[in-house]
Amino acid sequence: MRDAVTGRSIPGAQLIVWQPNQFGRYENEDDSQSADNLRGKLRCNADGGFSILTVRPGGYIIGREDTEVGVLMKRLGRNRQRAPHIHYRVVHPGYRMLTSQVYFAGDPANPVDCIFSTIEDHIVAVRPHPERDNYQLVELDIAMEPEASR
Ligand SMILES: [Fe+2]
């Protein structure tokens, strides 16, 4: 975590993450998952860094066809596909709260994500983990905007 203006690290910034499982299901909509599965809160270390070990989420379809969201998307001529992503929110005193999502480079669903959120700034490279066989590593650089900068 770093300051978007100075580039300095932000020790102790709070990071909140939530994501679906590998099948694209959030725990609150899937009885097979325990409460709060794949949801977490942590604080950045003294260097503003953090690490999370998790599963790569699957994409999902938003809103059934008979819901307001489903009807709206149909009227807009949009599909209802969400590309795989992990949600996050960062909070720290003196900074504007940031809520965003991170997507994975090369995912075939990125070009068709129905909420137009798969912009370049939200997509991270995926590479083999250098120390763990069969794991992948992504690195996410999050910059927080100081409240006084606007
Ligand atoms: Fe989501």
Side-chain angles (χ1 to χ4, degrees):
M1 201 73 53
R2 65 181 170 83
D3 184 299
V5 176
T6 68
R8 284 194 293 260
S9 62
I10 307 175
Q14 184 180 57
L15 176 66
I16 301 164
V17 294
W18 65 101
Q19 66 167 88
N21 66 10
Q22 65 271 39
F23 307 113
R25 302 290 307 270
Y26 289 95
E27 58 83 13
N28 59 310
E29 58 189 10
D30 180 359
D31 292 339
S32 73
Q33 297 182 53
S34 59
D36 295 329
N37 189 40
L38 300 171
R39 299 174 186 270
K41 261 186 202 179
L42 59 140
R43 292 217 178 262
C44 294
N45 64 24
D47 299 321
F50 62 90
S51 63
I52 298 169
L53 181 65
T54 187
V55 298
R56 184 167 172 156
Y60 57 87
I61 304 294
I62 62 167
R64 296 186 323 265
E65 288 182 17
D66 62 343
T67 63
E68 291 179 3
V69 170
V71 170
L72 174 65
M73 297 306 273
K74 187 171 185 177
R75 285 186 181 164
L76 293 172
R78 297 288 305 163
N79 71 74
R80 295 180 292 132
Q81 177 69 51
R82 292 300 324 280
H85 58 274
I86 297 175
H87 296 268
Y88 66 89
R89 173 174 292 166
V90 288
V91 181
H92 194 66
Y95 290 89
R96 296 173 60 83
M97 183 175 69
L98 171 66
T99 304
S100 189
Q101 301 171 41
V102 60
Y103 298 85
F104 308 98
D107 193 286
N110 286 344
V112 297
D113 184 75
C114 66
I115 66 165
F116 307 104
S117 180
T118 51
I119 61 174
E120 188 176 331
D121 285 352
H122 294 169
I123 297 176
V124 292
V126 179
R127 61 187 173 93
H129 196 289
E131 298 165 359
R132 291 175 177 255
D133 290 343
N134 302 315
Y135 281 74
Q136 298 175 321
L137 179 69
V138 300
E139 294 181 77
L140 179 61
D141 176 29
I142 303 175
M144 297 187 75
E145 184 179 7
E147 286 180 344
S149 67
R150 280 197 176 177

